[in-house]
Amino acid sequence: MSEVYYNYVDGDWVESETGDTFEVVNPADTTDVIGGFQRSSSDDATAAVEAAADAADEWADVPGTERGSILTEAARHMADRTDELTETLTREEGKTLTEAGAEVQRAVDIFEYYGQKAVDFGGEVKQPGSRDANLYTVEEPMGVAGLVTPWNYPVAIPAWKSAPALATGNTVVLKPANGAPNVFRKVVECLDEAGIPDGVVNYLTGPGSDVGGTIVDHDDVDVVSFTGSRSVGEMIHEQAGANQKRVQTEMGSKNTTVVMPSADLEEAAEIVGAGAFGVTGQACTGTERVAVHQDVHDEFLEELIAYADGLEIGPGLEDPDMGPHFDRDHLEGTLEYVERGRDADGTLAYGGEALEGGEYDDGHFVEPTIFTDVDSDAAIMQEEIFGPFVGVMSATDFEEAVELVNDVEFGLSTSIVTRDHAEANRFRDAVDFGIVKINEKTTGLQYYVPFGGMNASSSETFREQGDAAIDFYTITKTVYENYGRR
């Protein structure tokens, strides 16, 4: 019998009113049951929102220094439990220990960063238009923040949504993805140990339609932040916007790296390979397309195949180069795209097979996959696959390469590998993507600068992370004070 874990509502660990649970398993070994989690209902979500609303005014009145101290203390508890959090993340999501450890450290850094930001949080003083007067702004929290987060970064994304919300005086209701809820549940334990007041943080698991839908729709929720699929994100944006809530959605993408003749091709293959096959390709910033100048296409392809062939694939707890797919559906989805690539007359240059036998039998393992000779408008080059899958295209010149980058509906992260600085600057200006990288993989982000996409990747309302997150969770009052008038 696996252990059963509870929701955290109004300062207590509580069972769902449904009495039902669901199991979470290790994607590398589905016989390894992580535990049972609450199959919460709309009523459970309503109780969590009401608890957050009841605590909102008091938490907003807590001085920023005190709020910051709690976040910093929570970060210390997280750091003390780094090994535990890392193993938990690997077991439930599938990342390698190295990848999971980096994500846990990022979550620690985020809480520390916003712990300091809470101290600096305030407004601006401006010159008044008359004597004996003051003119200034104050920043106030929005109120209750409803946060809906995905499975692929199950501690970093909840951290970068909840920490700035808390730092600025908002209360939080957070629904993690059902497939990987345990690692952030342990972060909530750290917040509880750090002294977060009752009702300020609320965490509950369950169906998105019941729990997530109630959070988005509830009148007491003032601001909604979502990361996940495009279809759900667009629905949430429409729902929340219709109710006059402030909303932020980050959805999928189809990201291209450009390789120019001046590039070191072995280095370029490492950049593309890490962006395409790192975290098993399960990142919205992952590289799924490559536009290579025709003069170096064949040599680059050889280098990329050699990179893929050198990857060790296995259970994340063994810390290989690449772990399993998150679940059976995602594995089958990748394999289906392999067949669609063949149907589109593409050339399967490497991989494309599920791995079986021995330690692979109870997990969701697949080879890294490389296609070439595929048109940009083919399904495998337009639809987000979310797996270790990349298509390599040939470009006659720089201008065509940029056209290929922009030849998708999305616009989250793109990069170019070149030694030509002017070429890099032209690329930066010409692409319609929220994140532009020069001689770097499309994945991997700093937590203190804005993050967000363009076009179908994002609602394009507010950015996440850095000071941009402070802006999202606050509203400005402008104060005119005339103290000379009697």
Side-chain angles (χ1 to χ4, degrees):
M1 183 71 177
S2 60
E3 186 168 356
V4 174
Y5 300 105
Y6 297 98
N7 295 333
Y8 184 78
V9 177
D10 204 15
D12 291 319
W13 294 100
V14 297
E15 187 178 9
S16 166
E17 59 92 23
T18 67
D20 295 333
T21 62
F22 60 91
E23 284 189 338
V24 172
V25 300
N26 183 342
D29 177 7
T30 56
T31 66
D32 176 22
V33 179
I34 308 302
F37 294 81
Q38 301 303 306
R39 192 179 298 277
S40 304
S41 67
S42 177
D43 288 342
D44 291 313
T46 296
V49 172
E50 289 174 350
D54 289 344
D57 288 345
E58 187 172 346
W59 179 242
D61 287 339
V62 172
T65 52
E66 292 184 28
R67 294 198 300 265
S69 293
I70 291 174
L71 297 186
T72 302
E73 180 69 6
R76 186 183 67 78
H77 285 289
M78 292 164 61
D80 290 343
R81 298 172 65 176
T82 292
D83 291 344
E84 175 193 353
L85 293 173
T86 297
E87 182 176 336
T88 299
L89 198 164
T90 292
R91 282 185 65 209
E92 69 178 355
E93 196 274 346
K95 282 186 173 75
T96 69
L97 287 173
T98 295
E99 292 167 343
E103 184 178 342
V104 168
Q105 183 58 54
R106 180 170 177 169
V108 173
D109 292 342
I110 287 167
F111 273 91
E112 288 183 339
Y113 174 76
Y114 285 108
Q116 292 301 310
K117 281 290 181 183
V119 176
D120 292 336
F121 170 62
E124 297 179 336
V125 177
K126 299 293 185 180
Q127 285 295 316
S130 61
R131 297 177 185 273
D132 299 329
N134 290 320
L135 180 61
Y136 57 94
T137 65
V138 293
E139 303 294 332
E140 295 187 349
M142 292 292 295
V144 177
L147 313 178
V148 182
T149 61
W151 55 264
N152 62 320
Y153 282 88
V155 70
I157 293 179
W160 83 49
K161 291 183 188 295
S162 61
L166 295 170
T168 51
N170 297 273
T171 57
V172 162
V173 181
L174 186 141
K175 181 201 142 14
N178 284 346
N182 201 28
V183 65
F184 199 76
R185 183 191 65 80
K186 294 186 175 186
V187 172
V188 175
E189 289 180 346
C190 293
L191 285 161
D192 183 67
E193 292 167 4
I196 200 81
D198 294 350
V200 173
V201 172
N202 302 273
Y203 156 101
L204 68 166
T205 56
S209 56
D210 294 333
V211 178
T214 299
I215 292 171
V216 171
D217 285 339
H218 200 289
D219 288 343
D220 285 338
V221 171
D222 302 288
V223 56
V224 174
S225 182
F226 167 83
T227 299
S229 70
R230 179 181 178 183
S231 59
V232 176
E234 289 177 345
M235 180 180 66
I236 286 176
H237 185 254
E238 183 177 350
Q239 281 181 281
N243 292 323
Q244 302 297 307
K245 300 179 191 294
R246 181 176 291 184
V247 62
Q248 165 193 78
T249 60
E250 290 297 336
M251 299 168 283
S253 194
K254 193 73 174 177
N255 309 305
T256 305
T257 292
V258 169
V259 179
M260 297 303 292
S262 64
D264 179 307
L265 296 183
E266 182 179 358
E267 181 181 78
E270 291 177 357
I271 288 171
V272 170
F277 310 134
V279 298
T280 319
Q282 298 173 142
C284 55
T285 54
T287 306
E288 294 195 2
R289 295 159 52 100
V290 191
V292 187
H293 193 284
Q294 62 183 8
D295 292 350
V296 293
H297 175 276
D298 293 348
E299 186 179 351
F300 168 80
L301 183 60
E302 289 179 5
E303 293 285 356
L304 184 60
I305 290 171
Y307 178 92
D309 194 52
L311 294 177
E312 178 189 358
I313 304 168
L317 291 174
E318 296 178 7
D319 204 25
D321 298 310
M322 193 177 95
H325 253 307
F326 174 65
D327 60 19
R328 176 62 58 180
D329 287 345
H330 284 83
L331 171 61
E332 292 178 352
T334 293
L335 297 176
E336 180 182 335
Y337 275 109
V338 171
E339 295 308 311
R340 294 175 74 178
R342 289 191 174 112
D343 291 342
D345 297 325
T347 299
L348 179 59
Y350 184 85
E353 298 290 336
L355 294 173
E356 300 174 344
E359 65 183 358
Y360 297 133
D361 278 347
D362 291 321
H364 311 304
F365 295 94
V366 67
E367 295 175 312
T369 299
I370 303 170
F371 264 89
T372 189
D373 303 325
V374 187
D375 292 336
S376 177
D377 60 359
I380 66 168
M381 303 302 284
Q382 290 292 322
E383 299 173 13
E384 185 178 38
I385 296 172
F386 225 63
F389 190 115
V390 67
V392 180
M393 303 171 288
S394 180
T396 57
D397 53 26
F398 174 83
E399 285 73 22
E400 184 181 11
V402 169
E403 289 178 4
L404 290 170
V405 171
N406 289 331
D407 186 31
V408 292
E409 291 184 288
F410 301 97
L412 182 53
S413 183
T414 186
S415 69
I416 185 171
V417 188
T418 179
R419 294 178 181 174
D420 186 329
H421 189 65
E423 201 168 61
N425 285 340
R426 289 169 59 203
F427 180 80
R428 175 201 66 205
D429 295 341
V431 294
D432 297 326
F433 278 69
I435 298 165
V436 181
K437 293 192 161 190
I438 314 299
N439 297 321
E440 290 191 10
K441 61 184 179 179
T442 56
T443 54
L445 307 163
Q446 296 295 347
Y447 55 87
Y448 45 81
V449 292
F451 167 77
M454 298 170 66
N455 302 320
S457 288
S458 170
S459 58
E460 297 186 338
T461 47
F462 288 82
R463 293 304 196 217
E464 297 193 272
Q465 304 195 101
D467 288 338
I470 300 292
D471 294 338
F472 176 63
Y473 290 109
T474 59
I475 193 162
T476 303
K477 282 183 179 177
T478 303
V479 181
Y480 294 78
E481 177 188 2
N482 188 325
Y483 57 83
R485 184 169 295 170
R486 305 232 187 267

